[in-house]
Amino acid sequence: MVSGNIFHCRKNSWPPGEYISKSTLQLFDYDSSAPPEQAWRRRLNSHANLLKEFRVTFMEAIKMVRLGIRIWSYVREEASHGRKAPIDPFTRESCKPSASQGVPLGGMGSGSISRGFRGEFRQWQIIPSLCESSPVMANQFSIFISREGGNKNFSSVLAPGQHEGLGSSKKPDDQGISSWGWNLSGQHSTYHALFPRAWTVYDGEPDPELKISCRQISPFLPHNYRESSLPAAVFVYTLVNTGKERAKVSLLFTWANSIGGSSHLSGNHVNEPFRAEDGVSGVLLYHKTAKGNPPVTFSIAACETQNVSVSVLPSFGLSEGSSITAKDMWSKMVKDGQFDQENFNSGPSMSSSLGETLCAAVAATAWVEPHGKCTVAFSLAWSSPKVKFVKGCTFNRRYTKFYGTSEKAAVDLAHDALTNYSRWEEEIEKWQNPILKDETLPEWYKFTLFNELYFLVAGGTIWIDSPLLSSSMRNGQDRARELENAVVKETEDKINGRKRTFVERTADSTYETNATTGHNCVDENIYGHDNDDDVGRFLYLEGVEYIMWCTYDVHFYASFALLELFPRIELNIQRDFARAVLCEDGRKVRFLAEGNWGIRKVYGAVPHDLGTHDPWYEMNAYNIHDTSKWKDLNPKFVLQVYRDFAATGDLQFGIDVWPAVRAAMEYMDQFDRDGDGLIENDGFPDQTYDTWTVHGVSTYCGCLWLAALQAAAAMALELGDRDFAETCKRKFLKAKPAFEEKLWNGSYFNYDSGSSGNSKSIQADQLAGQWYTASSGLPSLFEDSKIKSALRKVYDFNVMKVKGGRMGAVNGMHPNGKVDETCMQSREVWTGVTYGVAATMILAGMEEEAFTTAEGIFLAGWSEDGYGYWFQTPEAWTMDGHYRSLMYMRPLAIWGMQYAMNRPKAILEAPKINIMDRIHLSPLIGGFSHNETGGNGYGLQEDRYMLRDVIHK
């Protein structure tokens, strides 16, 4: 952990006492109803300012005009087929982005719904790749209070009156939600976020003598691969009556039959009341999605106890033509505080008509004695068991393994959430408390660390039930066997120098997994999975604006979060990419940057992503550049695999992916044009910085390559492939001095070895390879003095010369102290890269500089004085705070900082002898030729059998 108490002088904490009176905090000091000391906070009446999107400069626009035309043409072509292009800079959301986000709901991979800090339900991502950002304003919690004696009555929606999406006009005869009592000012109400929980405290609003705490709980439980997949959340209300009179309190949960956007107007939706076990009652809302997408069922429920009674109104509408209108519903609650019990017997409602919004309500009513307390719990669950991708593939979500695919599963999900949330909280607190109670860490870091994890829920994540394929494919078992044989033969074909073509599938192919049968994994022959222990397949988007699954150059930064919290998911993602390395897809693709044509997936190249509309089968949805020529993807694959191998000590994983590691390293041999052991860039943006051109040897890709050589050598030695270990060490010993000679200038590594105007720029990310080397327990790539000198240069220039260190690290800086404005990316601050740089500093013993660097992201993105990027941290912002790509994967790299401070035992207890020194070189000379790698008399397949024997010895 961080040494000393160097941060006490600048904690940047937000004590709850500054937002809630101490007496109120004391009233909630039980049953987790009081917000934690370390949390992100907002008052409900805070202004949610609109966010400003990035714009290219005039000169940048001139340079990119041809690319823009090609992208425009491609976007229109995809739209003509009913598909959304993975990158579409021309289409704007109808709802302008604002600083209004909060903690999202539910577990991972089952569709997500976010909830803003003022209470609105928004950012609907139930259908893969589709994000409906606008709030559905009928979805609300409301309260109705009456005191004995009848002289004090209060009613209000528990959200501020001037609420986004509500509109300012209110007609006297309005039958919709504006007829409700929007009486909350929000002045005395506050929101507290510590993902995966959030607290909203109403300190005397709307009743001055009633204190209310609502805490939102979702099942994001590290290392729990069952409940973390559940699409459910719980809202626990704690009511404290400070008055002298007994109070009747009714809480109301209303929900529209909608999945965001205008889906509630599409018709044919049905609501139905239910009673479940343990006093759980509520309403099921069957939603018939448009455009052939699988149906969705919502469940809103409350738990009846000795002191709490539950009633429902299965259906009401928002227009005058509805049999029961929103205004009627509200009037009933104001008058009676509950609905009629006969409503439970009403059965399914009539299907909604086109243009009609069908809503439901659940009320929970309790008496709260003077100076007494009461707890009321609601749950929200949704069941969308089928994941259907645009080009035809259908899978079952992970949670169906435990709950099945019935429409009624939402009842069980809502029930189990209400009966298990206390245990969820215990698991969450056990996980978080060691970090929250660590006094050596700054306060802002603690809650930002957890809150950045929002992306693993709200990042469009998909978690399917079974391994990649199943023999229950609709096209029949013959196709499954064909694919299985293709996978098994990949390694054999490589030995013979052939490239296995990826099996083509027709556009209407549909594959389904079966939640009630065994997995029958078709790739188990090559990967040796234990089906009973498999955790399924996981996808997450690069960003909600860049809709590509598991973008690998970005996963390089984000993957620390998965490795730390859900390592088996991380290993399966690596297995997916390992399989992809050994495949080729020869279909032609036009690359938009230059307009040239190439093939979709090249053998030996790590794909940029796992696809968009047909993930796992149609990879590389990114088509701006030919990523088979990128120089960072293959080294990043090798580095991530070795880090995961070293951290988990999973020998079987190492054996599974080793053929792909070797193939990925061999593939890079072609980019060493002058035989110095180093790879060269090709004069275009052939890296994750895909508008920032590179010439010759680059500090970013070259450093990654050096680190990959070392990691591959270490992994080869551990797995017994000594010849390949020698090959990697030879290249490393040749490449390292060449790298330093070409790029080291005495204080840092130049951007590249070319002669362009930015070749001597200071790149913030110049030691990305060293970051992984140190994270994996490998010896440093360079002398400590050079590492610290380069990081000090980055800190002094890229960090401190930009708004005094209050914005993060700008990507490029000229040695004269001016921002490198060569392209839009060189002048941006990348949030995830900044966290990565901070992690590198921690590993180099520069803790003070590390936390100051990362604090800039907090100050600009999360603080009260920042730009408002909380729970939607973008990929980048400019010096004036304009963002690019909200809700982005890379900021999960903050977990790289935590990993740097708390590396796994397997790494910390690695052998003291330098693993590279254990590789003794033979007289053999050469590169990654097939002859050399097979020089000990066995090829890849023989290697594989030999490596399998390692486990049994």
Side-chain angles (χ1 to χ4, degrees):
M1 300 301 290
V2 175
S3 59
N5 296 323
I6 59 176
F7 303 112
H8 283 170
C9 59
R10 52 177 184 85
K11 279 191 173 181
N12 247 324
S13 62
W14 295 339
E18 295 181 8
Y19 290 76
I20 314 170
S21 66
K22 290 184 179 180
S23 58
T24 299
L25 281 172
Q26 290 172 353
L27 291 173
F28 290 129
D29 191 20
Y30 81 107
D31 194 27
S32 301
S33 57
E37 292 184 8
Q38 298 90 0
W40 178 89
R41 311 188 197 282
R42 276 294 176 278
R43 286 191 171 84
L44 263 59
N45 65 343
S46 298
H47 177 62
N49 55 295
L50 293 178
L51 307 180
K52 297 178 181 179
E53 190 170 7
F54 175 90
R55 291 288 185 270
V56 296
T57 66
F58 177 76
M59 291 305 298
E60 288 167 350
I62 294 297
K63 292 178 182 178
M64 298 170 68
V65 64
R66 292 182 180 178
L67 171 61
I69 292 171
R70 294 188 190 106
I71 293 178
W72 169 252
S73 176
Y74 174 68
V75 167
R76 293 186 64 183
E77 179 185 357
E78 287 293 283
S80 70
H81 295 290
R83 299 190 294 262
K84 182 175 173 61
I87 300 176
D88 179 3
F90 306 106
T91 304
R92 293 289 174 265
E93 297 286 347
S94 57
C95 176
K96 292 183 178 180
S98 64
S100 58
Q101 298 292 346
V103 175
L105 305 168
M108 301 188 299
S110 297
S112 70
I113 306 165
S114 291
R115 193 175 185 224
F117 74 88
R118 294 187 299 179
E120 72 275 23
F121 295 86
R122 57 189 310 130
Q123 296 290 141
W124 301 75
Q125 298 185 85
I126 305 296
I127 298 173
S129 303
L130 180 62
C131 180
E132 296 285 358
S133 56
S134 299
V136 176
M137 295 305 296
N139 299 345
Q140 297 290 345
F141 284 99
S142 304
I143 195 164
F144 304 83
I145 307 160
S146 60
R147 299 272 177 175
E148 284 187 332
N151 58 341
K152 293 180 182 178
N153 295 294
F154 304 90
S155 61
S156 181
V157 179
L158 289 174
Q162 298 302 314
H163 211 275
E164 177 187 356
L166 184 62
S168 56
S169 60
K170 179 177 178 181
K171 300 176 182 178
D173 59 347
D174 182 25
Q175 301 296 310
I177 62 172
S178 63
S179 65
W180 296 354
W182 298 84
N183 303 318
L184 198 79
S185 72
Q187 181 179 358
H188 301 292
S189 301
T190 54
Y191 180 83
H192 312 256
L194 188 66
F195 178 90
R197 295 188 292 174
W199 293 254
T200 307
V201 177
Y202 307 89
D203 195 357
E205 289 190 272
D207 181 348
E209 295 180 337
L210 186 70
K211 311 294 185 180
I212 308 166
S213 169
C214 171
R215 72 186 189 276
Q216 169 189 311
I217 309 154
S218 292
F220 184 94
L221 310 171
H223 307 285
N224 183 329
Y225 295 89
R226 174 181 174 132
E227 288 172 295
S228 294
S229 71
L230 304 186
V234 178
F235 306 90
V236 182
Y237 281 84
T238 302
L239 311 171
V240 181
N241 183 4
T242 63
K244 298 178 181 179
E245 299 165 318
R246 192 177 182 224
K248 180 184 179 183
V249 181
S250 296
L251 288 160
L252 176 72
F253 189 14
T254 53
W255 197 258
N257 197 323
S258 172
I259 58 171
S262 59
S263 71
H264 45 280
L265 303 175
S266 57
N268 294 314
H269 311 314
V270 174
N271 294 352
E272 180 183 12
F274 70 86
R275 287 187 187 272
E277 298 176 347
D278 303 311
V280 175
S281 305
V283 182
L284 275 175
L285 298 88
Y286 302 96
H287 187 83
K288 182 178 175 61
T289 56
K291 300 180 181 179
N293 286 303
V296 181
T297 307
F298 291 98
S299 173
I300 56 172
C303 191
E304 199 162 76
T305 65
Q306 185 175 1
N307 189 41
V308 178
S309 62
V310 177
S311 59
V312 300
L313 182 62
S315 62
F316 67 91
L318 304 184
S319 58
E320 189 174 349
S322 304
S323 58
I324 300 177
T325 67
K327 186 175 183 179
D328 296 335
M329 183 278 298
W330 189 266
S331 299
K332 172 72 171 176
M333 287 299 298
V334 169
K335 179 183 176 184
D336 299 332
Q338 59 191 14
F339 301 115
D340 298 332
Q341 289 295 315
E342 291 77 13
N343 290 345
F344 280 111
N345 303 319
S346 62
S349 67
M350 294 287 292
S351 296
S352 63
S353 303
L354 189 67
E356 177 188 8
T357 301
L358 188 64
C359 303
V362 174
T365 305
W367 285 95
V368 188
E369 300 298 326
H371 306 292
K373 299 177 181 180
C374 181
T375 298
V376 178
F378 293 89
S379 64
L380 166 67
W382 57 97
S383 180
S384 178
K386 302 291 184 183
V387 176
K388 181 180 179 182
F389 292 103
V390 171
K391 290 194 175 180
C393 287
T394 301
F395 301 95
N396 284 351
R397 296 190 193 264
R398 167 73 174 171
Y399 77 91
T400 64
K401 180 180 178 69
F402 318 110
Y403 286 83
T405 59
S406 166
E407 291 181 324
K408 302 284 188 180
V411 172
D412 295 330
L413 287 161
H415 168 273
D416 290 356
L418 285 169
T419 54
N420 290 323
Y421 75 83
S422 294
R423 179 174 51 79
W424 293 353
E425 286 196 288
E426 289 177 3
E427 290 191 35
I428 291 167
E429 290 171 2
K430 183 178 179 180
W431 157 48
Q432 293 184 338
N433 280 343
I435 294 173
L436 297 178
K437 294 180 179 178
D438 186 348
E439 295 185 355
T440 67
L441 297 174
E443 299 297 298
W444 65 264
Y445 170 79
K446 296 176 185 179
F447 56 78
T448 307
L449 176 72
F450 292 113
N451 285 333
E452 287 285 17
L453 290 172
Y454 84 93
F455 191 82
L456 290 177
V457 172
T461 56
I462 290 176
W463 195 353
I464 66 169
D465 165 33
S466 68
L468 184 54
L469 299 173
S470 168
S471 61
S472 61
M473 294 186 206
R474 188 172 293 174
N475 282 7
Q477 293 190 1
D478 291 342
R479 174 71 70 164
R481 281 192 290 269
E482 179 185 350
L483 282 169
E484 179 176 4
N485 291 336
V487 175
V488 172
K489 283 181 174 292
E490 283 164 358
T491 306
E492 298 172 349
D493 290 344
K494 176 63 176 120
I495 300 168
N496 298 325
R498 296 194 303 269
K499 296 178 179 180
R500 181 70 190 178
T501 301
F502 202 76
V503 179
E504 292 194 18
R505 300 182 298 109
T506 57
D508 60 350
S509 300
T510 302
Y511 302 92
E512 293 188 352
T513 59
N514 190 327
T516 61
T517 64
H519 296 309
N520 200 6
C521 170
V522 304
D523 62 353
E524 63 187 351
N525 285 348
I526 193 169
Y527 288 152
H529 291 161
D530 178 353
N531 289 336
D532 293 334
D533 199 37
D534 195 89
V535 297
R537 288 294 185 274
F538 187 83
L539 298 170
Y540 64 147
L541 291 175
E542 178 177 338
V544 295
E545 297 177 35
Y546 297 167
I547 50 173
M548 294 165 282
W549 299 111
C550 294
T551 297
Y552 202 74
D553 55 308
V554 186
H555 180 68
F556 175 78
Y557 297 84
S559 58
F560 284 92
L562 285 173
L563 178 61
E564 184 84 3
L565 305 175
F566 297 95
R568 290 164 65 190
I569 288 178
E570 166 64 9
L571 295 187
N572 273 3
I573 291 175
Q574 301 292 35
R575 286 185 170 102
D576 286 336
F577 276 92
R579 181 179 183 274
V581 169
L582 301 176
C583 294
E584 180 168 295
D585 184 344
R587 287 172 287 184
K588 294 292 185 179
V589 173
R590 189 186 190 197
F591 301 113
L592 304 179
E594 301 296 335
N596 58 316
W597 290 80
I599 69 172
R600 179 174 290 277
K601 169 66 180 69
V602 175
Y603 178 92
V606 174
H608 171 274
D609 55 79
L610 292 178
T612 291
H613 301 307
D614 198 7
W616 295 297
Y617 300 102
E618 187 179 273
M619 293 170 286
N620 282 333
Y622 177 93
N623 61 349
I624 294 177
H625 298 290
D626 182 354
T627 58
S628 69
K629 298 178 181 178
W630 277 20
K631 309 307 184 294
D632 62 339
L633 288 168
N634 282 39
K636 284 176 175 176
F637 170 70
V638 175
L639 288 171
Q640 287 186 74
V641 163
Y642 182 76
R643 177 204 58 189
D644 298 348
F645 174 66
T648 63
D650 190 333
L651 278 175
Q652 185 61 57
F653 167 73
I655 291 170
D656 290 346
V657 300
W658 180 241
V661 170
R662 272 182 43 163
M665 292 298 291
E666 290 170 357
Y667 181 84
M668 296 302 291
D669 220 23
Q670 64 183 298
F671 300 121
D672 178 9
R673 280 42 187 240
D674 57 6
D676 63 353
L678 282 174
I679 57 172
E680 282 84 40
N681 293 83
D682 284 324
F684 76 100
D686 47 357
Q687 55 181 3
T688 193
Y689 300 90
D690 59 351
T691 68
W692 200 357
T693 298
V694 198
H695 301 277
V697 177
S698 73
T699 184
Y700 182 69
C701 297
C703 188
L704 289 171
W705 174 241
L706 288 179
L709 285 169
Q710 185 169 247
M715 191 168 180
L717 184 64
E718 290 292 315
L719 293 176
D721 193 347
R722 294 177 182 83
D723 281 1
F724 196 77
E726 281 192 26
T727 300
C728 291
K729 181 174 180 179
R730 288 180 187 279
K731 294 185 77 72
F732 177 81
L733 293 176
K734 192 175 183 181
K736 178 183 172 181
F739 179 86
E740 296 191 32
E741 180 183 351
K742 292 181 178 182
L743 296 175
W744 181 252
N745 62 23
S747 61
Y748 64 95
F749 294 98
N750 290 335
Y751 176 69
D752 64 31
S753 63
S755 56
S756 64
N758 71 329
S759 288
K760 290 182 169 56
S761 286
I762 308 160
Q763 184 179 14
D765 212 2
Q766 61 184 270
L767 290 180
Q770 172 59 29
W771 173 27
Y772 261 71
T773 293
S775 295
S776 303
L778 292 170
S780 294
L781 296 177
F782 316 107
E783 296 89 341
D784 287 349
S785 59
K786 288 183 178 178
I787 294 170
K788 289 185 176 181
S789 174
L791 291 173
R792 169 59 64 178
K793 195 73 173 183
V794 169
Y795 178 75
D796 290 342
F797 279 69
N798 301 60
V799 177
M800 298 309 294
K801 288 186 182 296
V802 180
K803 301 288 180 69
R806 298 179 64 84
M807 292 200 70
V810 69
N811 283 335
M813 181 72 79
H814 289 297
N816 63 3
K818 293 184 178 180
V819 172
D820 183 346
E821 297 189 351
T822 303
C823 66
M824 69 178 197
Q825 290 178 345
S826 62
R827 62 184 174 91
E828 289 178 329
V829 171
W830 282 14
T831 52
V833 166
T834 299
Y835 286 141
V837 171
T840 311
M841 291 175 174
I842 290 172
L843 291 162
M846 300 170 62
E847 296 162 352
E848 181 77 32
E849 293 87 346
F851 281 92
T852 300
T853 296
E855 187 179 20
I857 303 302
F858 163 77
L859 293 172
W862 286 86
S863 74
E864 288 185 289
D865 299 324
Y867 297 105
Y869 297 130
W870 47 81
F871 300 102
Q872 52 186 335
T873 314
E875 156 77 318
W877 53 62
T878 55
M879 300 303 98
D880 55 3
H882 289 209
Y883 74 86
R884 181 170 62 81
S885 187
L886 288 174
M887 299 183 73
Y888 196 79
M889 180 198 294
R890 206 181 318 247
L892 284 169
I894 192 172
W895 280 85
M897 296 177 64
Q898 188 62 24
Y899 194 88
M901 292 183 284
N902 192 26
R903 279 168 288 171
K905 183 178 180 181
I907 289 176
L908 292 175
E909 295 184 356
K912 301 300 181 183
I913 300 175
N914 186 329
I915 198 164
M916 293 293 276
D917 292 340
R918 292 167 56 196
I919 302 172
H920 302 293
L921 299 181
S922 68
L924 292 174
I925 299 174
F928 292 137
S929 66
H930 298 309
N931 291 335
E932 182 182 348
T933 54
N936 60 352
Y938 53 83
L940 278 173
Q941 188 69 35
E942 287 77 7
D943 274 354
R944 187 168 181 76
Y945 295 141
M946 186 276 289
L947 295 176
R948 284 195 182 280
D949 291 340
V950 172
I951 283 184
H952 302 296
K953 290 183 179 178

